[in-house]
Amino acid sequence: MNHQGFLSFFLTAGCDNFAQAFKRSLVAAVWFVFLTFPIMVIRVNTIEKTVHWHWERMGYIAVAVFFGSFIWRWLLARKELKKDESKEETRVESLLTRVQSHPILKYSALVILAGMAAVFPKVFDLYQTNIMISCLLYIVLGLGLNIVVGLAGLLDLGFVAFYAVGAYAYALTNMHWGINFWYMLPVGALLGALLGVLLGFPVLRLKGDYLAIVTLGFGEIIRLVLENWGDVTMGPSGISSIDRPALFGIELGVIGSTHYMYYIMIGLMILTIFSVNRLQNSRIGRAWLALREDEIACQAMGIDKMKTKLMAFALGATWAGMAGVIFAAKTTFINPASFTFWESAIILSIVVIGGMGSIRGVIAGAVILILVPEYLRDFAEFRMLLFGAIMVLVMVFRPQGLISAKRKIYKYKTNTAGAPNE
Amino acid sequence: MDYFLELFLGGLTRGSIYALIALGYTMVYGIIELINFAHGEIYMIGAFTGLIVAGLLTMLGFPGISILAIAVVCAIIWAAAYGYTIEKVAYKPLRGAQRLSPLISAIGMSIFLQNYVMLSQTSDFLPFPELIPEFGFMEGLGSIMSSSELVIILATVAACIGLTLFIKFTKLGKAMRATAQNRKMAMLVGINVDMVISATFVIGSSLAAVGGVLIASHIGQINYFIGFIAGIKAFTAAVLGGIGSIPGAMLGALVLGLTEAFATGYVSSDYEDVFAFCLLVLILIFRPSGIMGKEKTQKV
C-alpha cells in the first residue's frame, strides 16, 4: 500500500468516507467526556464540604478519545482484513525464528545472553540486581502458570495461593526450627504440587468460567486464613527476619547474598525453561494442548482427562511453591498483603500479554510488565491501570499475545513428497 | 431471640443487595454466557456517582429526600452508560472468539476501572452521607431494624418484581428470552441481537447502581475497592441459585445473605468472607448448576 492509500485507509477505516469518520470520532469524544464527567472532573469532600473541579481533564479525555477512536477503528478494520489470511508473524517474531533456525546464530546469541546474565550484578548496582531478581521470579511464576493456562487451557485465578504456601512454609519452618533454604526449596516445590493436587481434585470437574471463579475463591480463602489465623501466621503483621540462603554455611553480607540470590534465580529460570520446554513436547504436553483445544474430542482419543488436568495443576503449582520459598528468602519478610488476587492477576497478565503457551512470550511478558514500570517510576501509580487496559487491548486485537506459540512440527527425514507435518 | 431477629434482618438486607447485583450477572450470563467480571466495578461506580451528586446537592442546600432521588437517578444514568460502553469496547469485538478471551478481557476491564476510580478520586475510604431519613413510624422497631434496611429490602423486592414483569410481558423482554435461548435463531426472526445485549447490560448496570447508592448510604463509607468483594459475593449468589435464572439469583442471594449473617453472628466475624467463598466452592463442586439451574447436556 502506498503512503497516500495508507493514510486514507487509516482515517476512514470502518466508515464510508472521511466526513463520517470525523463525525464518529466526534461522537465518541463527546460520549466519553459525558461518561467520565462525574468521576474524573468532580471530587467532593463531604466532611470539609469542599469541591475540587478538574475541568482540564475533560479536555484531555476529549482529545485522547477523538484521536484514539481513529486508531481503534483502524486496528479493528485491520484485524477484520487479516482474518482470512494465515496468522502473520510480527517482525520480532520472524527475527527470533530466523535466529533460532541457524545453529551458529542461535548458539552465539545464547552465549552472548549467558555472558550478559553472568556479569549483570558486577556491572550494575544492587538496586538493578534486585529488580532483575524479581523479574526472574516473575518469569518462573509466569512459566508455571503458563503450564496451567497456556498449555492446558485451565484458567486459574488463584495461582498466588501456591506461591503463598511456599513462602509461608519456608518462613514458618525457618522461624521455628531454623531450617535451611536449600532444604525447603524442594519441600516448597513438593508442597505446591501436593496442594495443587488437593485443590485440583475436587475443582477440575468444572469448566472454563466456573473453574476460574473457584480457583479465585480458593486463592482468597488461603489469603484470608493467612490473615486471620494469627496464632500461626502472625496475621497481617507478617513474618520478618527470614534467613537468606547461605553458601555452604558461609554467611554472606547484603551485597553478597543479593548476588548469590541472582545466580540462584538464573539457575532456576534455566531449569524452568528447560523443564517446561521438555514437558511441552512430551506426551503429557501434547495431551494438554489437545485438552485445551477440545475436551470431548480429547477424551474420545483415549486421554485420561482428570489425570491430565491434575498433572497440569500440580506441575504449575510446583514452580509457584519454589518461587514462594525464594520470594520469602529474597525479601526476608512476608505478609498476606503480598498474596492478593492482584498478584494472581499480574502473573496472569504476564502469560496472556506475552502469549499463552509460548515460553519466549512469557519471558517477554515478564520483562515488559515488571521491568518497564520499574524504570518508569513516574508511571508506577498507573501500573495497574495500564495492566488492565493492556489486557483488554491484547484480547481484542491480538488474542494470541505478543509472541504467539508455535507447535513443534515433526518432519519426515526422507524426501518422499507430501509428508504430513502436523 | 432479639439477636436472632437482628441477624435475620441483617442477612435479609445483605441478601437484597447481593440480589440487586446478582441480577446483572445472571442476565448477562443468560444471554452471552460471559461472567461479566467488571459488573462489581459498575456497582462501585454507581456508588461513587451517588456520592459525588449527593455531595454537590448537599452543598447547594437541597432538601433531604430529593437528594436521594437525584443521586439514585444519576447513579443509574452513569452506571448504565458505563455498562453500555464496556460491552461495546471490551466484549463486542470478542464475540465468536475463544471462551477464555472475553473472560480475560473482563478481568482486565475490572482492574482498569478500579484503578481509574482510584486515580481520579482517591484510594482512601470516603465517608458517604446518610441519604435515607429515619421514618417516624419506625421508632418501635428501631432497635432491630433501621429505615435504610427497610428501604433496601423494599427496593430489591420492587426491582425483582419489576424485572420479572418486564421480562415476561414487554417486547424487549421477550426478545431477551429469545436471544438467551438461541442467538442465531433470534437473529433470523428479526431480533436486533446487538441491541438486546446492550439493553441487558444497561438494565443490569442500573440495578447494580441502585444497590451501590443504597448500600453506601447504609454502611456510610465507600472505597474504590468495594466492587471486587461485592461482585464476587453477588456472583456467588448467582451461581448458588443457578446462573442464568432470574428467580434463582434472588433465591441464591437470600440464601447467601442469611448464611453470612448467621455465620458471622454465631461462629466468628473474622472469617466473614471465607464463608461466602466456602459456600461458593462447595456449591460449584456438588451442584454446579445451582439450586434452580438446569443441567445442560453437552453436544459434540
Side-chain angles (χ1 to χ4, degrees), chain A residues 348-362:
Chain A
L348 180 70
S349 39
I350 286 174
V351 176
V352 169
I353 292 167
M356 283 193 276
S358 149
I359 295 176
R360 293 178 300 178
V362 172

Side-chain angles (χ1 to χ4, degrees), chain A residues 185-262:
Chain A
L185 196 60
V187 175
L190 213 65
L191 275 176
L194 198 71
L195 197 74
V197 172
L198 274 181
L199 287 195
F201 201 68
V203 304
L204 283 175
R205 297 195 312 152
L206 303 166
K207 255 186 290 187
D209 315 348
Y210 286 122
L211 180 73
I213 296 294
V214 166
T215 48
L216 193 158
F218 264 129
E220 285 293 290
I221 290 174
I222 298 250
R223 187 182 63 82
L224 288 165
V225 168
L226 289 177
E227 210 154 87
N228 289 305
W229 198 10
D231 304 338
V232 174
T233 63
M234 321 294 271
S237 50
I239 300 168
S240 54
S241 60
I242 302 163
D243 285 346
R244 291 198 172 88
L247 182 65
F248 302 114
I250 309 161
E251 283 293 327
L252 298 159
V254 174
I255 296 175
S257 63
T258 308
H259 286 183
Y260 186 38
M261 192 53 115
Y262 172 80

Side-chain angles (χ1 to χ4, degrees), chain B residues 173-239:
Chain B
K174 283 177 190 164
M176 278 164 134
R177 277 186 290 152
T179 312
Q181 202 125 83
N182 188 334
R183 201 191 306 170
K184 262 201 190 117
M185 221 37 121
M187 239 183 255
L188 283 180
V189 295
I191 291 170
N192 185 348
V193 171
D194 278 342
M195 200 268 286
V196 169
I197 293 174
S198 294
T200 314
F201 272 86
V202 165
I203 295 169
S205 304
S206 316
L207 293 173
V210 176
V213 176
L214 292 182
I215 192 79
S217 151
H218 178 61
I219 292 177
Q221 58 177 13
I222 57 171
N223 177 257
Y224 75 98
F225 202 62
I226 55 171
F228 176 63
I229 285 288
I232 293 293
K233 298 265 184 79
F235 176 76
T236 308
V239 172

Side-chain angles (χ1 to χ4, degrees), chain A residues 259-271:
Chain A
H259 286 183
Y260 186 38
M261 192 53 115
Y262 172 80
Y263 290 115
I264 293 174
M265 271 323 297
I266 291 274
L268 184 69
M269 185 189 69
I270 293 170
L271 179 72

Side-chain angles (χ1 to χ4, degrees), chain B residues 35-199:
Chain B
I35 298 175
N36 180 12
F37 237 95
H39 192 64
E41 268 55 62
I42 300 273
Y43 155 87
M44 181 263 298
I45 282 174
F48 265 93
T49 312
L51 172 72
I52 289 162
V53 171
L56 278 180
L57 292 180
T58 334
M59 266 165 249
L60 293 172
F62 274 68
I65 197 79
S66 69
I67 293 179
L68 175 68
I70 298 172
V72 168
V73 169
C74 285
I76 287 176
I77 291 172
W78 264 285
Y82 273 95
Y84 176 82
T85 313
I86 288 167
E87 194 268 326
K88 285 275 176 282
V89 170
Y91 305 144
K92 199 178 165 208
L94 284 171
R95 263 180 229 158
Q98 285 177 18
R99 291 216 30 162
L100 220 52
S101 305
L103 190 62
I104 291 169
S105 173
I107 295 170
M109 205 69 219
S110 162
I111 298 175
F112 178 83
L113 287 176
Q114 271 190 22
N115 285 276
Y116 155 74
V117 172
M118 186 192 84
L119 290 171
S120 46
Q121 294 287 319
T122 158
S123 56
D124 305 330
F125 272 95
L126 293 171
F128 199 98
E130 206 176 321
L131 296 176
I132 302 165
E134 285 296 328
F135 304 136
F137 66 87
M138 293 284 294
E139 264 167 34
L141 292 162
S143 58
I144 50 166
M145 193 180 194
S146 67
S147 56
S148 61
E149 285 178 320
L150 185 73
V151 169
I152 288 171
I153 293 168
L154 287 180
T156 307
V157 171
C160 289
I161 294 172
L163 190 64
T164 313
L165 293 177
F166 175 81
I167 298 239
K168 251 205 166 109
F169 296 115
T170 61
K171 210 170 171 184
L172 185 57
K174 283 177 190 164
M176 278 164 134
R177 277 186 290 152
T179 312
Q181 202 125 83
N182 188 334
R183 201 191 306 170
K184 262 201 190 117
M185 221 37 121
M187 239 183 255
L188 283 180
V189 295
I191 291 170
N192 185 348
V193 171
D194 278 342
M195 200 268 286
V196 169
I197 293 174
S198 294

Side-chain angles (χ1 to χ4, degrees), chain A residues 129-205:
Chain A
T129 315
N130 261 322
I131 292 175
M132 211 47 180
I133 295 172
S134 56
C135 179
L136 293 170
L137 199 64
Y138 276 100
I139 291 180
V140 171
L141 282 167
L143 287 172
L145 186 63
N146 182 45
I147 295 177
V148 188
V149 181
L151 298 181
L154 308 164
L155 187 54
D156 181 358
L157 295 181
F159 192 64
V160 83
F162 308 121
Y163 185 44
V165 165
Y168 267 88
Y170 175 54
L172 288 172
T173 48
N174 185 266
M175 185 177 71
H176 290 300
W177 303 306
I179 288 178
N180 190 311
F181 170 82
W182 287 109
Y183 292 115
M184 277 316 281
L185 196 60
V187 175
L190 213 65
L191 275 176
L194 198 71
L195 197 74
V197 172
L198 274 181
L199 287 195
F201 201 68
V203 304
L204 283 175
R205 297 195 312 152

